[in-house]
Amino acid sequence: MKAILLCSKKIKLTAMLMLASVALHLAAFAQTAQRHINVDVNNVAGNKSNVFNECIGAGRANEGLRADWQQQLTMIQKDMNFKYIRFHGLLNDDMHVYVEDKDGKPAYNWQYIDKLYDFLLSVHIKPFVELGFMPNDLASGTKTVFWWRGNVTKPKSYEKWDELIKKLVTHFQERYGKAEVEKWYFEVWNEPDLSGFFDGTQADYFELYAHTARAIKSVSPTLRVGGPATSGVHWITDFLNYCAQNKVPVDFTSTHCYATTSSLDEFGIRKQKLKPDPDSLSNDIRRARQQIKNSPFKDIELHFTEWNTSPSSRDPIHDTYQNASFVLNLLKKGMPYTNSMSYWTFTDIFEEAGPAVTPFHGGFGLLNLQAIKKPTYYSYKFMNELGKTELKNEDTHSFVCKQDKNVQALIWDFTFPVKPNEFDQDHFYKDQPSAAKPPVELSIAHVANGKYRVELYKVGYGFNDPFTKYASWGSPYYISVQQVNELNKISSGKPLSVSNVSISNGTYQQKLAMRDNDIYFVKLIHL
């Protein structure tokens, strides 16, 4: 009997060892199994979405009068071709738009706005006009936000506010022409659901919106106005119902979303933590679209006029290579549900929390203060260089497009970059080496036969990744001209490889070694 029991135990042990061996083998296979992207040039999904570059954000209007800000936007436009730009503070006192004399008589001054808008149009970008904050002489109170003190109170006189809006919009039409201004968007205020941005109730905002919208439409009923420009997809249902019930004009809905658990970080001192759900932002976008579908304005445009991983201008995630793949992952999932997604912002020349004191400090920008290109810069550059026609593609982390006989493939890995409950400021200042992932096999069928130049680009750990190098220097407060040049060289965007191939069987194949949050851009250029 004892022998039988021993034999039985040996059999069970052997079986357990075999199962363990199989599990280890399957785990190893999962790490080495190729990811396949199979597309056919003749199998077309439709026109490539341009939601990604419809709009881009910037800090405040007065910063747009700086030479370095304008130089950076010019660079951005050559590589990304954004259609609109949105920023705070158009009516702030530092733009010198509105003052009253000792008798309370208003005086209007468009000089600074004209200088800024003239420049924008010269680089082929239109204003997405955010109307705010309140000129101090028109304000009902003294509450302000940010280092540059934007007044967030209601107007002391709606009669004077209405007249300001009418004169401003009339001036735009006289200077730029009605046909041009009809292409702009007018958005009323910024995040009025947050007390830091608006010293009033929801009802107070709705009153402000109604006055502003009617003032704009009194100048021209064809101009586009909308709101509520809220944080976190708030107030959409209430706002649209209010407009319907009170016959208030509305041409689009706008809101914002970020991927951290903390919202307004006025002075850049809050620690940020990514939400544990990597799809939180795409869920917000779908939720906003559904709220519109359920409203009296079910076909109205939806604009996310701010979005990013974090709402803090001092969050190091913005400088990392992981941020670049996070952006592509969100664009892929979110673009079908919205009309624009305005990345906040194009530049680190951004002073809500005061002027930054280090070259890399977690600023929002695609470019740092020295115009060094961050990894996320290339997410947008590559998206813009995709052809106009998207191919059908079952892979969830890639775009494959064509234009004429040329084909482009943008492929990435998205690996959630932090451990649960870890703050960004504690995590991303550490070295972030990437781990190997399954390789990718790209196969494109029915490519036109002939000779091609194949250009391969990469973003990832150590590739177009200036922040990792900067951090390896100890994150100095100051970098020399030589160091700036070195970081620019690291993030030059030059091809990883260039080769010539001949295609005679109508098929192109390429294998790519993939690591955490790597991005590859493949360009087949017909010669």
Side-chain angles (χ1 to χ4, degrees):
M1 189 65 160
K2 183 182 283 188
I4 293 172
L5 290 172
L6 286 172
C7 182
S8 176
K9 287 181 179 180
K10 285 181 180 180
I11 291 171
K12 288 181 180 179
L13 180 60
T14 301
M16 291 174 64
L17 290 171
M18 288 177 64
L19 288 172
S21 176
V22 169
L24 288 170
H25 176 75
L26 289 173
F29 178 80
Q31 292 298 313
T32 59
Q34 290 186 17
R35 172 178 151 202
H36 293 276
I37 301 174
N38 299 309
V39 296
D40 188 324
V41 168
N42 295 331
N43 198 0
V44 170
N47 293 331
K48 182 190 74 175
S49 171
N50 290 318
V51 165
F52 74 96
N53 68 346
E54 279 295 311
C55 190
I56 187 69
R60 82 184 196 276
N62 190 263
E63 292 159 1
L65 300 174
R66 290 173 49 165
D68 52 352
W69 189 99
Q70 295 188 3
Q71 290 163 0
Q72 289 197 17
L73 185 60
T74 301
M75 180 194 304
I76 287 276
Q77 281 302 89
K78 288 179 180 178
D79 280 343
M80 297 165 203
N81 192 32
F82 287 106
K83 306 303 185 297
Y84 294 88
I85 188 167
R86 173 188 177 271
F87 39 72
H88 304 321
L90 188 71
L91 304 180
N92 282 9
D93 279 7
D94 59 8
M95 293 298 286
H96 301 280
V97 172
Y98 178 97
V99 293
E100 294 182 2
D101 65 17
K102 60 182 178 63
D103 297 319
K105 182 179 179 180
Y108 309 96
N109 178 9
W110 319 122
Q111 299 294 325
Y112 281 7
I113 292 180
D114 289 350
K115 286 180 182 291
L116 176 55
Y117 278 20
D118 287 356
F119 166 73
L120 296 180
L121 294 172
S122 77
V123 295
H124 310 294
I125 193 167
K126 301 178 187 300
F128 199 116
V129 185
E130 179 199 307
L131 293 168
F133 292 109
M134 194 62 60
N136 282 322
D137 281 4
L138 187 50
S140 60
T142 59
K143 185 177 180 180
T144 63
V145 67
F146 301 134
W147 173 78
W148 38 265
R149 297 186 182 280
N151 189 295
V152 298
T153 67
K154 299 177 292 182
K156 66 183 181 184
S157 164
Y158 271 112
E159 181 180 358
K160 290 182 176 180
W161 170 260
D162 294 350
E163 191 64 19
L164 168 61
I165 298 302
K166 291 176 186 178
K167 288 187 178 298
L168 176 66
V169 174
T170 299
H171 172 74
F172 286 153
Q173 289 197 150
E174 291 173 348
R175 186 174 184 84
Y176 302 111
K178 182 179 178 182
E180 170 63 31
V181 181
E182 281 178 333
K183 299 173 185 175
W184 300 2
Y185 291 88
F186 290 88
E187 182 185 41
V188 180
W189 215 255
N190 175 74
E191 299 189 355
D193 57 306
L194 299 181
S195 61
F197 279 120
F198 185 63
D199 189 26
T201 64
Q202 184 188 80
D204 291 330
Y205 171 73
F206 289 170
E207 181 182 22
L208 175 66
Y209 176 84
H211 273 272
T212 309
R214 287 169 175 151
I216 291 170
K217 294 291 188 176
S218 73
V219 176
S220 174
T222 57
L223 298 182
R224 296 183 289 193
V225 61
T230 45
S231 71
V233 196
H234 293 151
W235 291 10
I236 290 176
T237 298
D238 292 345
F239 171 72
L240 294 176
N241 285 339
Y242 170 84
C243 291
Q245 292 164 7
N246 295 276
K247 295 181 170 53
V248 176
V250 59
D251 298 297
F252 65 90
T253 299
S254 63
T255 191
H256 305 160
C257 62
Y258 291 90
T260 62
T261 54
S262 180
S263 54
L264 175 61
D265 187 18
E266 183 176 358
F267 297 111
I269 58 176
R270 290 185 178 182
K271 282 193 172 185
Q272 301 290 327
K273 186 186 300 180
L274 284 175
K275 296 174 183 175
D277 180 4
D279 292 327
S280 64
L281 293 189
S282 56
N283 291 338
D284 283 344
I285 294 167
R286 286 194 295 271
R287 179 161 55 92
R289 174 56 70 189
Q290 189 59 50
Q291 289 175 356
I292 291 172
K293 285 183 177 180
N294 294 338
S295 80
F297 304 93
K298 62 180 181 179
D299 297 320
I300 204 169
E301 289 185 8
L302 170 61
H303 295 273
F304 275 80
T305 50
E306 284 184 30
W307 84 275
N308 206 318
T309 42
S310 168
S312 172
S313 61
R314 299 295 186 269
D315 190 331
I317 191 174
H318 297 135
D319 299 333
T320 66
Y321 70 93
Q322 295 103 317
N323 197 76
S325 60
F326 195 110
V327 164
L328 289 177
N329 183 63
L330 188 277
L331 290 175
K332 176 81 172 180
K333 293 181 177 180
M335 287 195 302
Y337 302 97
T338 183
N339 295 88
S340 73
M341 292 179 60
S342 181
Y343 186 82
W344 188 256
T345 59
F346 83 87
T347 176
D348 278 0
I349 301 169
F350 182 95
E351 298 181 348
E352 286 183 355
V357 297
T358 58
F360 288 92
H361 51 272
F364 291 115
L366 302 172
L367 295 162
N368 87 328
L369 294 171
Q370 289 77 25
I372 298 166
K373 298 170 183 175
K374 301 183 189 180
T376 307
Y377 184 100
Y378 290 102
S379 296
Y380 280 92
K381 183 176 187 292
F382 295 159
M383 285 287 294
N384 191 51
E385 291 180 3
L386 288 169
K388 293 182 179 179
T389 302
E390 185 176 351
L391 304 181
K392 289 185 178 179
N393 175 14
E394 294 183 359
D395 184 77
T396 58
H397 292 83
S398 62
F399 292 99
V400 185
C401 297
K402 69 174 182 177
Q403 191 159 345
D404 301 323
K405 294 182 180 180
N406 302 327
V407 184
Q408 311 82 27
L410 180 54
I411 303 164
W412 65 92
D413 170 77
F414 175 63
T415 300
F416 199 62
V418 293
K419 297 176 182 177
N421 300 317
E422 188 170 18
F423 288 109
D424 292 4
Q425 286 83 353
D426 296 333
H427 181 78
F428 290 107
Y429 280 120
K430 302 172 188 174
D431 189 36
Q432 299 287 320
S434 56
K437 300 298 287 287
V440 175
E441 181 77 40
L442 171 65
S443 181
I444 307 173
H446 291 113
V447 179
N449 290 335
K451 294 181 179 180
Y452 289 81
R453 183 173 72 253
V454 181
E455 297 178 358
L456 178 64
Y457 301 83
K458 182 178 180 180
V459 172
Y461 179 70
F463 294 88
N464 290 298
D465 178 23
F467 179 62
T468 292
K469 173 59 72 173
Y470 169 77
S472 75
W473 295 337
S475 301
Y477 272 70
Y478 169 81
I479 53 177
S480 66
V481 173
Q482 291 78 12
Q483 287 174 313
V484 171
N485 291 338
E486 182 175 351
L487 293 177
N488 275 322
K489 186 176 180 181
I490 288 170
S491 194
S492 67
K494 67 180 183 180
L496 184 67
S497 66
V498 179
S499 59
N500 292 325
V501 301
S502 293
I503 296 176
S504 58
N505 62 354
T507 300
Y508 176 79
Q509 292 182 319
Q510 185 166 2
K511 189 174 181 178
L512 302 169
M514 188 69 74
R515 301 183 70 86
D516 282 349
N517 296 300
D518 274 354
I519 299 170
Y520 285 101
F521 188 44
V522 184
K523 298 171 73 174
L524 276 69
I525 303 168
H526 189 263
L527 300 178

